[in-house]
Amino acid sequence: MLKDSLPQVKLTVNRTGNMSAYGDLLIDHVSSTGKVTRVGNVSGCAIYTPNALRQFHLFLIKTKGVDYKSGKLHLVFTLQNAAGPAKLAEAEVSLH
């Protein structure tokens, strides 16, 4: 929380291989009861070669009923392609 009121997340996406990646970053809050709420969505994120990583600093949506001091964040980076989205990376972070 920035200044105790603005929810934010900082993350690093690591890239391997010889191709760039272009996709979408989706962030969901999962409450301790299992309720899933979309709190972040960035379309068109690029990680170009030869860079091995890309750092993001995102402010999350302040949604009524979402407690950023409990539950977890579920982050997914999906590739944009003609066949539909393909998951390239996924992570979960517990909130305390």
Side-chain angles (χ1 to χ4, degrees):
M1 300 293 276
L2 180 65
K3 298 182 182 179
D4 294 329
S5 64
L6 296 172
Q8 64 178 328
V9 65
K10 294 179 183 180
L11 65 122
T12 301
V13 177
N14 296 298
R15 186 199 61 77
T16 59
N18 59 0
M19 293 180 60
S20 297
Y22 184 77
D24 302 326
L25 179 61
L26 305 174
I27 305 172
D28 292 329
H29 177 267
V30 182
S31 72
S32 56
T33 61
K35 181 181 178 187
V36 178
T37 305
R38 176 73 31 94
V39 294
N41 181 5
V42 181
S43 298
C45 300
I47 308 170
Y48 296 111
T49 58
N51 300 332
L53 59 90
R54 172 82 188 266
Q55 295 180 336
F56 294 93
H57 179 184
L58 309 167
F59 287 100
L60 303 176
I61 300 167
K62 290 180 72 172
T63 304
K64 186 176 181 178
V66 172
D67 180 7
Y68 286 108
K69 295 180 182 174
S70 67
K72 60 186 173 182
L73 293 179
H74 182 229
L75 303 97
V76 178
F77 183 72
T78 58
L79 178 67
Q80 294 179 349
N81 62 36
K87 190 184 308 181
L88 291 181
E90 181 174 29
E92 285 190 348
V93 177
S94 294
L95 304 173
H96 299 74

